[in-house]
Amino acid sequence: MGTETSKTLFSKAQTVIPGGVNSPVRACRAVGTTPLFVDRAAGAKIYDVDGNVYVDFVCSWGPMILGHGHPAVTAAIRAALEKGTSFGAPCPSEIELAELVVAALPSVEKVRFVSSGTEATMSAIRLARGYTGKNVVVKFDGCYHGHADSFLVKAGSGVITLGIPGSPGVPADIVKNTMSIPYNDIATLEKTLADDRLGIACVIMEPVAGNMGVVPPDLAFMRMLRELTAAKGIVLIFDEVITGFRLGLGGAQARFGITPDLTCLGKILGGGLPVGAYGGKAAIMDQIAPDGPVYQAGTLSGNPLAMAAGIATLKVLKEPGFYDRLEDKAATFAGALAKLADTYLPGQTTLNRVGSMMTNFFTAGPVTDFTSAMRADTARYAAFFRDMQAQGIWLAPSQFEAAFISAAQSPADLNLALDKTEWSFKKMANRPKSR
Ligand code: HOZ
C-alpha cells in the first residue's frame, strides 16, 4: 500500500501548521521522507491513514511503555472523563499519583505536576536558581532538556537532527548563564565545578542520554558529579523525562545508585497524556509558591485525565517482574540486532542500549558523547529508516533518538523487525558507505 493519503494530508497541514508538524523531528526531513499521518494505534502497532500497519519502536518517543491502548489505562481515562476533564482546582488523583512517584523515587520527597517535560525542566532550574541565589546552569553537550531558552545550547534531539546550532529568539543575555560541557568528561567537569567565580546554581543531566541517540553514562563520571555538586552546594538535577519509569520504577537514579537533588519527569508518568513533573528534597521543593517565593503555575497542571492515566500506568509497572521481562526482551532483541550488524556491517555500527532504550549508530564507535555520536553516518541511517518503514517497522526519523521496547511487542513483532533489518543490512553491505 502507498502513502498517498499521508502525503496529501501533509501538503494540507503545511498550509496551516508550520512545516506541517507540531514538533520538528516528525517532519522526517532528516530521513528524506514526509510524515505518516496516524489513524490509530493499538498494542505494539500503529496504523496510518492509508491502511498500512507498522510495529512501533517510537512509542510516542517513550511514553507508551505498555503499548497503545492498554486496557487498564484506557478504562482509567474513561472513568475520569465521566467526572470532568479539567477543574482548575485540586483533585484526589493528584495525591495518589504524587504518592506513587514519591514511593518509586526515594530522592523525591515532594513533587509538583506540570503539563510537559519542558515545563518540568524549566521550572526545576528556576527553583535551583531561587534556592541557591546563583544563575549559571551547567548542562552537557548533546543532552536535550526541552525547548526553554536556557537549554538551547549544544542541545540534542531535533536541534541536532536539523543541524540548528542555537535558535534565533533566544537572547544572548539568557544563554550567557548556560554552560554546556562534554558528557562523560571527568576532567572538564572537575575544572568547571571547581571554579567558584562562575556562580553555578545547578547541573542538569540526562542520566542516560537519549536525545543524541542513547549514550550511557560513565559511572565514575556520575559519581564524581554527585560528589562535587554536593561539596559545592550546587543542585544536581536529573532529567529523567525519558528514563523515569523506563529503566525501572526508580528510573536511572535507582539503576546507577546516584541520588540527585531534583528530578524531572514526563512521558511515561502521563501514560500517554500530557504530563510533566519535578520533585526532590522537601527543603528545596518548599521554596515553590505558595510555600516559598519561586513562582510556577499551570491551569492544566494535575489534570484529572492525565493523573488517571499516570496512576493506571504506574500500577501496571509495579506488577512483579514487569521490568525483568522488559529487560530480557530488550536484551534478546539487542543481542540479535548486534549479531546481524556483525555479520553484514562488521565494524560499521555501534549498538548502545540501557534497559529498553537503544540506538544503533552507523559508526564504528564507541559512542560515548556528542562528538562521537556526531560521527554517525546519517545518510546510512536515513536509508535504513526508509527500508524499515517500507517493510512495516516504525523507527524514529532521526539517528539521534532512541528506539524503545514496549511490553506490547510480541516475539513475532520483534522477529519481524529483525528479519527486515537483516534484509536492509544485506543491501547496505553491498553498497558503499556514504562517507
Ligand atoms: N523531543 C522529543 C524527542 N526526543 C519529541 C519529538 C516529537 O514529538 O516530535
Side-chain angles (χ1 to χ4, degrees):
M1 242 177 277
T3 54
E4 286 317 307
T5 316
S6 275
K7 288 197 173 84
T8 305
L9 287 174
F10 187 46
S11 299
K12 204 171 164 190
Q14 286 174 88
T15 65
V16 282
I17 299 173
V21 288
N22 284 310
S23 193
V25 188
R26 298 177 196 179
C28 295
R29 289 189 190 170
V31 288
T33 61
T34 52
L36 293 178
F37 278 67
V38 177
D39 175 48
R40 67 196 169 89
K45 311 262 172 52
I46 55 171
Y47 301 81
D48 73 13
V49 287
D50 286 284
N52 301 299
V53 56
Y54 305 86
V55 179
D56 180 16
F57 286 86
V58 181
C59 295
S60 190
W61 307 88
M64 311 317 295
I65 191 168
L66 302 180
H68 298 279
H70 188 283
V73 180
T74 306
I77 295 170
R78 276 209 184 102
L81 181 62
E82 293 299 323
K83 296 171 89 175
T85 55
S86 181
F87 309 134
C91 61
S93 54
E94 291 170 285
I95 307 170
E96 189 177 352
L97 188 57
E99 283 172 350
L100 285 165
V101 170
V102 166
L105 292 153
S107 72
V108 175
E109 293 169 357
K110 288 191 175 179
V111 60
R112 170 66 67 86
F113 293 115
V114 291
S115 296
S116 70
T118 291
E119 265 190 82
T121 52
M122 65 180 230
S123 307
I125 60 165
R126 180 180 301 150
L127 175 58
R129 284 168 162 162
Y131 177 72
T132 58
K134 293 181 176 158
N135 284 334
V136 168
V137 172
V138 175
K139 67 175 284 292
F140 298 101
D141 301 348
C143 284
Y144 179 74
H145 305 289
H147 61 89
D149 287 354
S150 298
F151 298 122
L152 292 182
V153 179
K154 293 194 182 170
S157 192
V159 181
I160 320 180
T161 301
L162 300 173
I164 299 171
S167 172
V170 175
D173 264 358
I174 290 187
V175 289
K176 74 174 189 220
N177 288 314
T178 302
M179 289 186 70
S180 190
I181 61 174
Y183 197 74
N184 280 334
D185 178 342
I186 293 183
T188 307
L189 178 74
E190 282 180 318
K191 195 168 152 228
T192 307
L193 297 197
D195 190 345
D196 292 328
R197 292 164 308 173
L198 291 173
I200 300 171
C202 59
V203 178
I204 184 163
M205 176 195 200
E206 284 184 89
V208 172
N211 286 291
M212 51 177 148
V214 172
V215 177
D218 170 28
L219 262 186
F221 173 79
M222 274 185 125
R223 287 192 188 114
M224 180 62 76
L225 173 61
R226 178 63 285 186
E227 204 176 291
L228 293 176
T229 47
K232 294 275 182 186
I234 295 169
V235 177
L236 177 59
I237 306 172
F238 275 2
D239 176 349
E240 296 230 41
V241 169
I242 293 179
T243 53
F245 307 109
R246 163 69 54 191
L247 300 182
L249 262 191
Q253 51 195 270
R255 194 171 179 110
F256 300 120
I258 311 276
T259 305
D261 302 308
L262 292 178
T263 298
C264 299
L265 297 165
K267 299 200 191 267
I268 292 173
L269 176 67
L273 268 68
V275 172
Y278 62 111
K281 289 180 179 161
I284 305 178
M285 294 301 288
D286 287 342
Q287 295 300 309
I288 303 169
D291 278 353
V294 177
Y295 197 70
Q296 178 270 312
T299 298
L300 289 166
S301 297
N303 174 267
L305 296 191
M307 297 295 104
I311 292 164
T313 300
L314 264 51
K315 282 184 176 165
V316 178
L317 300 180
K318 279 177 69 179
E319 285 168 9
F322 178 89
Y323 286 103
D324 291 340
R325 288 192 294 276
L326 196 65
E327 180 84 36
D328 285 353
K329 199 199 281 195
T332 307
F333 178 73
L337 188 58
K339 213 161 154 193
L340 290 176
D342 282 351
T343 308
Y344 297 104
L345 302 170
Q348 296 169 50
T349 69
T350 301
L351 181 63
N352 279 357
R353 175 183 76 88
V354 182
S356 57
M357 53 193 280
M358 64 187 87
T359 298
N360 190 41
F361 290 94
F362 285 88
T363 179
V367 177
T368 56
D369 57 11
F370 182 62
T371 306
S372 44
M374 290 306 284
R375 289 193 193 111
D377 184 337
T378 51
R380 270 195 148 184
Y381 181 82
F384 178 62
F385 171 91
R386 291 191 299 267
D387 276 353
M388 297 299 271
Q389 180 182 322
Q391 301 292 319
I393 308 298
W394 183 241
L395 301 177
S398 164
Q399 168 75 97
F400 306 112
E401 300 282 353
F404 295 104
I405 299 295
S406 80
Q409 290 157 352
S410 65
D413 294 326
L414 297 176
N415 286 335
L416 182 74
L418 291 169
D419 283 351
K420 303 308 179 190
T421 300
E422 180 167 24
W423 170 77
S424 178
F425 280 6
K426 237 187 224 174
K427 272 204 314 175
M428 211 176 274
N430 296 323
R431 250 190 266 133
K433 282 212 278 182
S434 59
R435 62 178 149 115

